């Protein structure tokens, strides 16, 4: 553990991480006003049009998320870097598109090799270098090295039952959250294992499969998060903290708790189980933000709520025309596949007590991979040239500053099967699918042919304009290929390409 910690600090210094003008040992600036507490709540499969703050006619009201937006800011043009789970989580924590790794399509399995490289700087490592206490709670889905019973290696994906039989439940797991900057972790391994994990070990191993309850995930995660918040205040109230909360709602199976934080959940929504799951998520948000407020931390806590991708096709909550006229679902490259809600609050909801002006709204183009650079700017940490290569800070947009130029000029979107597209403020170019996209070389050029959509007049992406604007189509295709070839989409000085 000591060697691992030295490795983290050495990497932090090597890439130019600095709390202020020069890197200092942990906790040196813990009481500085520039080190607010950071809380990121990542929903699972929550669509852009599902929260009521984005679509008032939704059948899944979200009063707690709505209140958070009213006390802070909502982003109207935010995008997940992938339209499925694992790649988005990788990008959110590293500031780098996941298709630059070995994961060219799909998601990881329970026993997949960890996706975050051992030498890659992560958001929690950045914050730890500034003295933050860090915790990950809930869904991880970025791989774990789970030891085999014979002690000769790690369990890898194959038949779930066979893989489960190989697990040494007593041995510590490796290359997980604690090896990438988190001080503590609590979550669950679900596919084939159905066990909770605390830090490096499986806990509460049931004797019978029937003892596992999907309904208990939400309450257990919330209890662990509230315990972390309370411990931070009790043990070291001057030390800032970072909480990364990966909700499993509203992802299927829709098994929300009967009640949560004193609120009835299961069976209470006329629209059915998925709407119940969204209610569970919203109640969780309310409970976490409520505890922050009760502890007197609101003025110095930045809370960010977003989603890893759009909703699945099976989530037919809305009837009739798609809200906002968006087309697509989880896994694709259409707007509803990757445009996601993004809400932030930094303050107590009053004008005098808030860094983010209450009731703000931003139409800046942002990607979730930009959270790394944004938080780094918030705490005064300049990123090195070999970290967060696709992360552009939207700190100015948070504060509603008027920029000389847009935060971003483009963002790359990526589908579950390896599809690619590139999005600007008004246009989207979707590349004709090619096997190169899922090949091992993430720098190989993609076709320059595809479909072009004018999102101003056609948000449903129903009319291909590539024939009318061949130069624009080629320009966007060349931009995408250049960013693939160069291994980054943001310049080392953090200005957009």
């Amino acid at each position: 553990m000591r060697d691992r910690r030295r490795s983290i600090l050495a990497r932090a210094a090597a890439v130019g991480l600095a709390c202020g003008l020069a890197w200092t040992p942990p906790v040196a600036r813990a009481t500085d006003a520039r080190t607010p507490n950071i809380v990121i709540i990542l929903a699972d499969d929550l669509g852009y049009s599902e929260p009521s703050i984005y679509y008032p006619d939704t059948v899944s009201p979200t009063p707690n998320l709505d209140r958070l937006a009213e006390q802070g800011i909502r982003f109207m043009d935010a995008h997940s870097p992938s339209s499925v789970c694992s790649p988005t989580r990788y990008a959110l924590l590293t500031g780098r598109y996941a298709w630059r790794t070995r994961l060219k399509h799909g998601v990881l399995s329970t026993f997949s090799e960890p996706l975050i490289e051992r030498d890659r700087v992560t958001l929690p490592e950045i914050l730890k270098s500034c003295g933050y206490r860090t915790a990950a709670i809930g869904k991880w889905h970025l791989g774990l090295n789970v030891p085999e019973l014979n002690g000769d290696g790690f369990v890898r994906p194959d038949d779930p039952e066979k893989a489960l039989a190989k697990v040494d439940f007593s041995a510590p797991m490796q290359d997980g959250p604690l090896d990438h900057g988190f001080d503590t972790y609590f979550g669950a391994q679900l596919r084939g294992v159905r066990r909770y994990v605390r830090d490096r070990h499986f806990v509460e191993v049931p004797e019978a499969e029937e003892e596992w309850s999907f309904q208990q995930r939400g309450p257990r995660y919330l209890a662990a998060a509230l315990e972390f918040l309370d411990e931070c205040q009790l043990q070291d109230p001057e030390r800032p903290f970072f909480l990364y909360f990966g909700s499993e709602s509203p992802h299927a199976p829709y098994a929300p708790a009967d009640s949560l934080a004193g609120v009835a959940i299961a069976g209470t929504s006329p629209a059915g189980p998925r709407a119940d799951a969204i209610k569970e998520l919203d109640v969780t948000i309310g409970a976490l933000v409520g505890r922050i407020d009760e502890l007197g931390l609101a003025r110095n806590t930045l809370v960010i709520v977003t989603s890893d991708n759009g909703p699945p096709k099976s989530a037919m909550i809305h009837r009739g025309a798609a809200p906002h006229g968006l087309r697509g679902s989880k896994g694709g490259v259409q707007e509803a596949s990757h445009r996601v809600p993004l809400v932030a609050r930094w303050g107590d909801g009053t004008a005098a007590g808030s860094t983010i002006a209450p009731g703000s709204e931003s139409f800046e183009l942002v990607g979730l991979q930009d959270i790394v650079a944004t938080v780094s700017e918030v705490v005064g940490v300049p990123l090195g040239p070999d970290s967060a290569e696709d992360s552009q800070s939207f700190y100015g947009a948070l504060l509603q500053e008027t920029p000389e130029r847009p935060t971003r000029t483009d963002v790359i979107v990526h589908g579950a099967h390896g599809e690619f597209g590139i999005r600007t403020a008004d246009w989207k170019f979707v590349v004709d699918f090619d096997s190169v996209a899922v090949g091992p070389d993430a720098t190989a050029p993609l076709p320059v042919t595809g479909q072009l959509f004018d999102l101003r007049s056609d948000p449903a992406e129903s009319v291909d304009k590539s024939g009318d604007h061949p130069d624009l189509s080629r320009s966007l295709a060349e931009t995408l290929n250049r960013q693939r070839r160069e291994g980054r989409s943001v310049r080392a000085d953090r200005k957009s390409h």
Side-chain angles (χ1 to χ4, degrees):
M1 179 66 70
R2 184 175 298 172
D3 289 343
R4 170 64 181 160
R5 178 159 179 75
R6 276 200 292 263
S7 174
I8 290 174
L9 298 181
R11 291 214 312 274
V15 297
L17 302 182
C19 292
L21 297 178
W23 182 82
T24 53
V27 193
R29 294 181 64 245
T31 60
D32 192 301
R34 294 190 67 196
T35 53
N37 306 308
I38 309 291
V39 176
I40 296 176
I41 301 172
L42 183 63
D44 201 350
D45 290 4
L46 181 69
Y48 179 79
S49 297
E50 291 185 295
S52 40
I53 191 64
Y54 284 91
Y55 184 61
D57 293 330
T58 183
V59 296
S60 52
T62 52
N64 292 295
L65 183 58
D66 296 359
R67 187 178 307 110
L68 194 72
E70 292 162 0
Q71 295 176 342
I73 186 172
R74 64 171 175 169
F75 285 81
M76 306 303 292
D77 203 6
H79 300 265
S80 60
S82 173
S83 59
V84 285
C85 178
S86 299
T88 289
R89 292 162 199 272
Y90 173 91
L92 189 152
L93 291 176
T94 68
R96 183 176 183 245
Y97 290 126
W99 47 263
R100 300 194 193 276
T101 72
R102 72 175 195 276
L103 189 66
K104 309 301 182 189
H105 61 91
V107 299
L108 298 187
S109 300
T110 295
F111 298 109
S112 291
E113 181 181 351
L115 188 61
I116 300 178
E117 303 88 346
R118 293 301 296 265
D119 61 350
R120 179 151 292 280
V121 173
T122 64
L123 178 57
E125 288 179 349
I126 292 168
L127 293 173
K128 281 192 73 170
S129 77
C130 291
Y132 277 70
R133 183 174 178 177
T134 59
I137 293 171
K139 188 168 184 176
W140 179 242
H141 209 177
L142 287 168
L144 289 168
N145 278 334
V146 180
E148 291 183 327
L149 274 171
N150 60 20
D152 291 337
F154 302 108
V155 181
R156 289 292 175 247
D158 54 16
D159 178 86
E161 293 301 324
K162 292 180 179 179
L164 184 59
K166 298 177 182 178
V167 174
D168 184 348
F169 285 102
S170 65
M173 284 169 276
Q174 301 176 29
D175 212 357
L178 270 63
D179 298 291
H180 294 285
F182 289 107
D183 294 318
T184 187
Y185 169 68
F186 180 76
Q189 292 292 94
L190 299 180
R191 292 187 177 184
V193 182
R194 298 187 179 184
R195 305 287 194 272
Y196 288 102
V197 176
R198 184 174 293 280
D199 294 339
R200 297 184 184 277
H201 290 86
F202 287 107
V203 295
E204 303 177 25
V205 179
E207 296 180 359
E209 186 75 12
E210 289 74 22
E211 294 185 40
W212 172 267
S213 172
F214 279 101
Q215 283 188 300
Q216 289 304 309
R217 293 173 301 168
R220 285 179 181 266
Y221 293 167
L222 177 58
L226 295 176
E227 180 182 9
F228 173 75
L229 295 176
D230 291 343
E231 286 181 353
C232 287
Q233 279 302 97
L234 181 65
Q235 296 176 3
D236 194 349
E238 297 302 315
R239 184 180 181 186
F241 60 79
F242 170 45
L243 172 61
Y244 169 63
F245 187 91
S247 175
E248 305 235 18
S249 292
H251 194 290
Y254 308 130
D258 290 333
S259 64
L260 187 65
V263 179
I265 305 291
T268 62
S269 301
R274 181 174 172 84
D276 286 346
I278 294 174
K279 182 177 181 179
E280 180 180 64
L281 168 68
D282 188 67
V283 170
T284 299
I285 293 169
L288 290 173
V289 173
R291 183 60 58 87
I292 289 168
D293 294 350
E294 290 169 8
L295 293 172
L297 302 174
R299 289 195 173 198
N300 199 40
T301 300
L302 171 59
V303 180
I304 298 172
V305 181
T306 187
S307 178
D308 62 349
N309 46 250
K313 289 182 179 179
S314 59
M316 298 301 291
I317 285 185
H318 301 289
R319 301 293 185 259
H324 300 109
L326 305 185
R327 182 168 66 96
S329 59
K330 172 182 179 178
V333 288
Q334 295 81 24
E335 280 296 290
S337 305
H338 54 80
R339 193 191 296 192
V340 292
L342 175 61
V343 169
R345 187 193 80 169
W346 185 356
D348 61 7
T350 67
S354 299
T355 302
I356 295 176
S360 298
E361 187 175 71
S362 175
F363 289 86
E364 286 282 337
L365 178 66
V366 300
L368 299 192
Q369 72 275 12
D370 296 331
I371 288 175
V372 173
T374 303
V375 171
S376 295
E377 185 172 359
V378 166
V379 300
V381 175
L383 292 169
D386 297 322
S387 60
E389 296 93 334
D390 299 303
S391 191
Q392 176 68 52
S393 175
F394 57 87
Y395 180 64
L398 277 178
L399 302 187
Q400 290 289 278
E401 297 174 347
T402 303
E404 295 180 1
R405 57 183 179 182
T407 299
R408 269 190 171 275
T409 55
D410 54 69
V411 64
I412 294 175
V413 297
H414 189 240
H417 301 288
E419 309 97 316
F420 274 92
I422 184 167
R423 172 76 151 70
T424 68
D426 298 323
W427 295 89
K428 180 196 280 183
F429 181 74
V430 178
V431 181
D432 284 341
F433 184 73
D434 189 276
S435 60
V436 169
V438 294
D441 186 358
T443 66
L446 299 173
V448 295
T449 57
Q451 295 178 302
L452 180 70
F453 301 105
D454 181 355
L455 298 175
R456 295 167 300 182
S457 60
D458 181 26
E461 302 165 271
S462 59
V463 180
D464 178 14
K465 294 286 188 176
S466 60
D468 298 334
H469 303 278
D471 291 343
L472 177 58
S473 297
R474 178 170 290 276
S475 174
L476 291 174
E478 290 175 349
T479 297
L480 172 55
N481 277 323
R482 174 171 52 79
Q483 293 181 11
R484 280 172 57 88
R485 182 176 64 253
E486 295 180 354
R488 63 186 314 123
S489 58
V490 175
R491 289 176 5 196
D493 60 6
R494 298 295 141 184
K495 294 180 180 179
S496 297
H497 259 35

